[in-house]
Amino acid sequence: MNQRMFFLDNLRAVTIFLVVVLHVSLCYMKFAPQWWFVVDPAQSMFFTYAVMLIDVPIMAIMFFLAGYFALPSLQKHGMPRFWVGKFKRIIIPWVLGVLFLAPPAMYMILLSRGKAPSFVEFWSGPFWTTMYSQSVFWFLGLLTLFYIILSGCYNLFPSLQGPPRVSRNPSPLLSILFITITSVIFLGMNQFFPVDTWITDYYLIVFQPLRLFVYLLYFWLGILAWKRNWFTRQGYTPRLLPWLIVCLVSAVVYLTFKGMMHARGTELPVQLGNALGFNVFAYSTLMTGVALFKIFVNSSSDFWKSFSASSYGLYIFHSLAVYYGAYYLLSMNASPFIKAPILLLGSTISCWVLTVALKKVKGVSSVL
């Protein structure tokens, strides 16, 4: 366990990059959400399918990896130092992001439609009432809540304080049970909330009801994976080919039922197919990603070191780069297949460079 798992660092970095890809694709997809920040008239169904597929596994992977690294950090540093670190790395970016980066992101909804008041008027009024959102920082708020739950359980259950167990391969029943539970939760919440509903009424915590407990379970699956020595040299590693096949098949199943949800979203069989497709696809993508990166991207080269080290900054800053970049590209008369790569590369490189520069500022490196 003292061996650095570069493939997990790189998987996390690429997952964050896919978050950027998702947000760029939303600007050029057909049938974009009416509230999306910038909707370009240059659209393609290619980006619609990209959004539907990328949206499913990325946060499940993020919460899983957060759980995987949380318990060893807590054991190594102890509760006080653990929370000092989380205060710097999670809570400070969360609070500053909500106060100073989320408002200009939400302002773009009005600005891109020619309905914007002054920014000061927006920030002091609509943002805190009808247009409140944490933008991409909802993840940090939810992660803080999960760390609080872990901290409470750490004191209640001594087994969490012990070292990882002797490694053993998980039973196939574990995967079946996990997918079944997450699908039941997803389906159950769907009886009360539409699939893509966001809850913003509580201000501190912003979440999607159908996914809240699913993400919590992925966080705890990550803890279980560390406790059982998964992904170590002697531990369990998913087999690439079987999980890749499951991933591809479930992607087709999910796209089929997701398309049916728009017309028949109140029918229980359709909701069940959507729930199963979503959760099988999310879980199999996680396992495929781990297997793929352990085989092919277990690298500590200069590129991967820099990309991994800058990925958190990419997550924090990319929303403004994407939304305002998409806004200025509205005037370009070009195909979405030209605009989207320009926006993606420009946003990624600018946030990468900004993060590298900020890391050299005293006191900032501990946050980024």
Side-chain angles (χ1 to χ4, degrees), residues 148-212:
I148 292 172
I149 295 172
L150 171 61
S151 298
C153 293
Y154 188 76
N155 292 322
L156 289 174
F157 303 103
S159 61
L160 289 174
Q161 302 174 24
R165 298 179 183 179
V166 175
S167 179
R168 68 173 186 267
N169 288 349
S171 165
L173 289 176
L174 176 62
S175 298
I176 294 172
L177 181 63
F178 186 86
I179 292 172
T180 300
I181 293 174
T182 52
S183 297
V184 168
I185 291 173
F186 193 98
L187 178 62
M189 296 299 288
N190 197 187
Q191 306 313 302
F192 303 95
F193 301 96
V195 169
D196 297 317
T197 300
W198 282 90
I199 301 295
T200 61
D201 299 338
Y202 304 110
Y203 283 92
L204 283 179
I205 302 298
V206 172
F207 60 92
Q208 292 175 284
L210 272 68
R211 305 189 189 192
L212 173 62

Side-chain angles (χ1 to χ4, degrees), residues 52 249-261 270 274:
M52 292 167 66
V249 172
S250 61
V252 174
V253 171
Y254 174 69
L255 286 177
T256 301
F257 281 97
K258 181 70 173 177
M260 294 170 64
M261 285 291 290
V270 175
N274 183 67

Side-chain angles (χ1 to χ4, degrees), residues 103 107 110-111 115-127:
Y107 184 68
L110 300 179
L111 183 64
K115 301 178 181 179
S118 69
F119 179 75
V120 173
E121 182 181 347
F122 170 80
W123 190 90
S124 60
F127 176 74

Side-chain angles (χ1 to χ4, degrees), residues 292-309:
L292 186 69
F293 274 68
K294 189 170 184 180
I295 296 171
F296 297 109
V297 201
N298 194 15
S299 172
S300 59
S301 66
D302 290 342
F303 170 83
W304 283 109
K305 278 184 179 178
S306 178
F307 187 47
S308 178

Side-chain angles (χ1 to χ4, degrees), residues 84-112:
V84 168
K86 297 311 174 190
F87 183 78
K88 290 179 180 179
R89 289 276 292 176
I90 303 298
I91 296 177
I92 288 178
W94 173 33
V95 173
L96 294 180
V98 171
L99 291 177
F100 299 109
L101 297 181
M106 294 302 293
Y107 184 68
M108 179 50 67
I109 297 176
L110 300 179
L111 183 64
S112 66

Side-chain angles (χ1 to χ4, degrees), residues 230-292:
W230 289 10
F231 316 144
T232 62
R233 285 183 176 179
Q234 300 79 21
Y236 166 71
T237 297
R239 295 174 58 194
L240 178 58
L241 183 58
W243 281 114
L244 179 60
I245 293 172
V246 175
C247 178
L248 295 175
V249 172
S250 61
V252 174
V253 171
Y254 174 69
L255 286 177
T256 301
F257 281 97
K258 181 70 173 177
M260 294 170 64
M261 285 291 290
H262 292 284
R264 300 164 54 190
T266 59
E267 297 179 12
L268 188 59
V270 175
Q271 292 179 347
L272 175 60
N274 183 67
L276 283 171
F278 180 98
N279 287 286
V280 174
F281 181 51
Y283 187 87
S284 60
T285 303
L286 167 64
M287 293 301 172
T288 301
V290 170
L292 186 69

Side-chain angles (χ1 to χ4, degrees), residues 24 27-28 321-322 325-326 329 338-348:
V24 168
C27 297
Y28 300 102
V322 168
L329 285 175
I338 294 176
K339 289 187 174 184
I342 291 174
L343 183 59
L344 178 62
L345 290 175
S347 301
T348 302

